[in-house]
Amino acid sequence: MRQPSRAQWIPGFVIVLAVVIDLVTPADVTSAPLLTVAPVAAAPLLRPRGVVAVGLISMAVHAVLAHVDGTFGWRAGVANQLTLAAVTVLAVVINRTLARRDASTRRARQVAAVAQRAVLPPPPARIGPLAVAARYVPAEDEAMIGGDLYVAQATPWGTRVMVGDVRGKGLGAVSAVCSDIGAFRYAADESENLPALVDALERALSREGDRRGGLEDVEGFTTALVAEFAPDLSTVRIVNRGHPPPVLLDDRGRATLLVPSAEAPPLGMGGLGAWPAPVDTFDFPPGATLICYTDGVSESRDTAGVFYDAAERLPLLMRRRRALGDSTSPSQILDALVHDVRRHTGGRPQDDQAMLALHRETAPRPPS
């Protein structure tokens, strides 16, 4: 079991404290009850041999102290020794139980990690001339799979990407994520333009809902950002279906929030009516990076309830990294973003976070 090295000194501190208390108190006051704490404290911190060693040291210390005080008899001596021995055995049992539980948790996390890579595989580091990076931060360490998604692939019409957030939690959300990603991978290669691609995604979600007998209201739609880069990377076309707008960082680190020209509902709400989703075109100059994320980032709050503002914070993070001479690659940008969101919330993520960064280099890469 991995524990902080400082914590491993707690049993020794307890023994020293027991010695000090015994020496400064009258002879008829015993520190044996405090010494029994040492092996119990060692149970979650040390290996079984360490727990036994702490127990034996506690017994030896008690025997010496009782001998010095002249109180080593049946009641204050042997009985306390038997108690210390019993507590040491109990501490070893606790240690082994915790070890088995820890091993079971590690196996579960390994299985979850494999399942996550199967459901949400990381995108390639490069798609043609685009450098790509992605991050997934679960709200709960034990639940490594959630309803956030990202996918990127090269198509006959340029590189296409999607970042989305399925409403709902648990296996229902994971099933919807699989459906969304599968539908995107097929439709991205077959659809000639973004409206056709989005229509195909809408139909796929509708069919999935019918197969499942109707999705729950909270799991029946997906906020999605679908983007298409021109073959020469000069522009990026975006359809935003109820998703947080992405941030465009230029080569100087200046940020622009790519707000859609008109609001459109999330995918999967076609049964309530038809809404046109505009295709917005933005310049994507050399050195630019497109940062897409889910509402686990944009709706993160600090202790005062203030939402995290990626468009405001990203330029500050970039200036700080450049001043230190650090890299501003897509991967490093997302690492800085993850760390800054965690700082903003003061600890654990408040919701799942999916992030995707796509960077256009300032000059063509030399042939390999």
Side-chain angles (χ1 to χ4, degrees):
M1 291 178 290
R2 297 179 180 178
Q3 298 291 340
S5 58
R6 291 183 179 179
Q8 295 177 353
W9 291 101
I10 291 177
F13 173 78
V14 171
I15 293 173
V16 172
L17 181 63
V19 171
V20 172
I21 292 175
D22 191 89
L23 293 177
V24 300
T25 54
D28 58 345
V29 177
T30 177
S31 61
L34 184 56
L35 285 170
T36 61
V37 174
V40 176
L45 302 174
L46 305 177
R47 297 182 181 275
R49 285 182 293 182
V51 176
V52 172
V54 170
L56 293 176
I57 292 172
S58 298
M59 294 173 67
V61 168
H62 170 261
V64 171
L65 292 175
H67 178 74
V68 170
D69 292 338
T71 59
F72 194 90
W74 171 251
R75 293 184 59 185
V78 177
N80 286 334
Q81 290 286 300
L82 292 175
T83 299
L84 284 167
V87 171
T88 300
V89 172
L90 177 61
V92 172
V93 173
I94 294 173
N95 177 275
R96 299 314 301 155
T97 301
L98 292 175
R100 286 193 294 269
R101 182 173 300 177
D102 187 56
S104 177
T105 301
R106 285 198 303 270
R107 287 194 296 270
R109 288 181 60 82
Q110 289 170 356
V111 171
V114 172
Q116 185 191 31
R117 286 194 294 271
V119 173
L120 193 64
R126 300 198 65 84
I127 301 179
L130 278 175
V132 184
R135 294 291 183 274
Y136 186 90
V137 182
E140 298 292 338
D141 291 338
E142 294 79 8
M144 298 184 67
I145 308 174
D148 290 12
L149 63 99
Y150 47 72
V151 57
Q153 70 183 56
T155 75
W157 295 274
T159 299
R160 288 173 169 174
V161 304
M162 179 173 72
V163 178
D165 184 2
V166 174
R167 298 295 89 182
K169 300 291 182 182
L171 293 178
V174 175
S175 176
V177 166
C178 294
S179 177
D180 287 348
I181 292 178
F184 176 86
R185 290 200 179 280
Y186 175 79
D189 281 337
E190 299 297 324
S191 304
E192 296 185 4
N193 52 57
L194 282 188
L197 171 56
V198 173
D199 288 343
L201 293 173
E202 189 78 60
R203 291 193 299 271
L205 281 176
S206 177
R207 289 194 300 269
E208 179 66 15
D210 293 340
R211 280 195 293 267
R212 295 176 57 187
L215 292 171
E216 296 294 332
D217 290 340
V218 295
E219 295 177 354
F221 62 89
T222 300
T223 67
L225 184 79
V226 184
E228 174 186 88
F229 293 86
D232 62 358
L233 299 184
S234 59
T235 60
V236 56
R237 293 178 287 274
I238 296 176
V239 173
N240 192 324
R241 297 294 298 267
H243 198 78
V247 173
L248 181 68
L249 284 174
D250 65 15
D251 58 348
R252 297 183 181 180
R254 295 174 298 190
T256 303
L257 195 64
L258 304 186
V259 180
S261 57
E263 298 293 334
L267 297 172
M269 300 183 68
L272 301 179
W275 292 271
V279 179
D280 296 309
T281 303
F282 302 95
D283 290 334
F284 192 59
T289 304
L290 184 68
I291 312 293
C292 310
Y293 45 81
T294 57
D295 60 8
V297 174
S298 59
E299 295 184 1
S300 292
R301 303 188 188 194
D302 62 11
T303 54
V306 178
F307 289 111
Y308 185 82
D309 189 341
E312 177 183 334
R313 293 294 303 172
L314 280 168
L316 298 176
L317 298 177
M318 294 305 96
R319 286 198 293 269
R320 185 181 305 165
R321 295 192 64 84
R322 286 172 175 167
L324 296 174
D326 294 336
S327 169
T328 55
S329 67
S331 182
Q332 295 297 328
I333 291 174
L334 293 188
D335 285 342
L337 182 59
V338 169
H339 178 78
D340 199 51
V341 173
R342 188 177 293 272
R343 176 207 55 80
H344 182 79
T345 59
R348 296 178 66 88
Q350 298 164 353
D351 194 4
D352 294 343
Q353 302 167 8
M355 310 173 196
L356 189 67
L358 304 106
H359 173 72
R360 178 186 178 186
E361 294 182 342
T362 55
R365 285 170 58 89
S368 55

